[in-house]
């Protein structure tokens, strides 16, 4: 029921009530007419209540839709804030990395000089002289790491050989010493 029919029903009830009240005051209404008028008024009242119920249910649906929309909006806003925080965090980290100045020079790290590294040739078929300073430093560090691993492996091999040779050398030297001491 729309709003105009609701107004029409209210006007009909008013007119019915006014007619019943006027007729009752002047005692010009019969009992059957009175009952008929009351029944018509009651039916109109039931229609108004039904209309009111329909409007209330529509209102509840609109409120629920509004609440759902507010909830979705709040969720989207929260996600936006989260993304903005992440963005500012990453930008801060990028700025920090870009502004980072190492406190160690090549000499302090004890790396081979750049000229010597460049004279060793290319590692992947690239022209090392055309690389930017950062990539060049990474390549130098990688080459240095590989070289140090090889040196550590050689050191371990030499230590194991020393462990094998040292006891036999001691035995030889002690026997030579005892022989030299026996000679007058």
């Amino acid at each position: 029921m729309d709003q105009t029919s609701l107004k029409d029903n209210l006007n009909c009830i008013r007119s019915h009530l006014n007619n019943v009240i006027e007729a009752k005051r002047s005692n010009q209404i019969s009992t059957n007419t009175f009952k008929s008028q009351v029944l018509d008024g009651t039916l109109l009242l039931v229609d108004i209540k039904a209309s009111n119920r329909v409007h209330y249910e529509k209102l509840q649906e609109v409120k629920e839709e509004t609440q759902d929309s507010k909830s979705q909006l709040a969720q989207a806003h929260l996600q936006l804030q989260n993304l903005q925080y992440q963005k500012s965090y990453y930008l801060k980290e990028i700025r920090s990395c870009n502004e980072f100045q190492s406190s160690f020079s090549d000499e302090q790290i004890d790396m081979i000089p750049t000229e010597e590294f460049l004279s060793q040739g290319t590692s992947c078929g690239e022209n090392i002289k055309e690389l930017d300073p950062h990539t060049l430093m990474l390549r130098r560090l990688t080459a240095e790491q590989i070289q140090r691993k090889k040196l550590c492996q050689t050191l371990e091999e030499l230590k194991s050989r020393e462990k094998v040779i040292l006891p036999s050398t001691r035995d030889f030297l002690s026997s030579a010493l005892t022989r030299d001491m026996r000679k007058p």
Side-chain angles (χ1 to χ4, degrees):
M1 206 179 256
D2 61 353
Q3 195 168 0
T4 56
S5 62
L6 181 64
K7 286 182 181 180
D8 292 341
N9 281 346
L10 286 173
N11 288 334
C12 279
I13 288 177
R14 279 190 194 120
S15 68
H16 274 311
L17 286 175
N18 286 336
N19 289 341
V20 169
I21 291 172
E22 286 296 319
K24 193 71 171 168
R25 282 186 189 161
S26 61
N27 278 338
Q28 296 175 353
I29 190 165
S30 68
T31 307
N32 287 336
T33 310
F34 178 74
K35 287 182 180 179
S36 163
Q37 290 284 334
V38 169
L39 183 62
D40 289 343
T42 305
L43 290 175
L44 287 172
L45 197 58
V46 168
D47 285 344
I48 290 174
K49 283 185 177 183
S51 173
N52 187 30
R53 190 174 323 115
V54 167
H55 285 293
Y56 178 78
E57 289 171 356
K58 285 182 182 178
L59 179 66
Q60 290 303 318
E61 288 175 12
V62 169
K63 283 182 179 180
E64 288 174 7
E65 289 174 5
T66 304
Q67 190 61 33
D68 289 343
S69 297
K70 282 183 179 180
S71 174
Q72 289 174 357
L73 180 64
Q75 184 67 25
H77 185 27
L78 187 62
Q79 285 177 337
L80 175 65
Q81 286 179 328
N82 188 23
L83 290 173
Q84 286 174 337
Y85 175 78
Q86 286 179 353
K87 176 185 172 188
S88 68
Y89 173 77
Y90 290 134
L91 289 175
K92 180 181 165 189
E93 287 297 314
I94 290 170
R95 189 172 31 258
S96 171
C97 290
N98 286 338
E99 293 172 356
F100 177 75
Q101 295 293 323
S102 175
S103 59
F104 300 106
S105 65
D106 291 351
E107 294 78 29
Q108 290 173 323
I109 298 177
D110 198 27
M111 290 177 56
I112 59 172
T114 306
E115 295 78 24
E116 186 178 332
F117 176 74
L118 291 174
S119 68
Q120 291 177 354
T122 61
S123 57
C124 305
E126 297 178 274
N127 189 356
I128 293 178
K129 293 180 182 180
E130 295 177 2
L131 295 176
D132 64 282
H134 178 72
T135 307
L136 181 62
M137 178 60 85
L138 290 176
R139 297 283 166 81
R140 286 179 62 202
L141 288 171
T142 303
E144 188 76 28
Q145 181 184 22
I146 292 170
Q147 184 180 12
R148 288 182 184 208
K149 283 182 180 180
K150 286 178 184 177
L151 290 173
C152 285
Q153 185 178 11
T154 305
L155 178 66
E156 291 299 319
E157 290 172 3
L158 290 173
K159 283 183 179 179
S160 64
R161 284 179 52 198
E162 179 187 28
K163 287 181 183 178
V164 170
I165 295 173
L166 193 59
S168 63
T169 307
R170 283 190 184 152
D171 291 341
F172 174 74
L173 288 176
S174 64
S175 67
L177 186 60
T178 54
R179 266 188 279 145
D180 284 342
M181 291 174 98
R182 288 187 198 165
K183 286 185 185 178

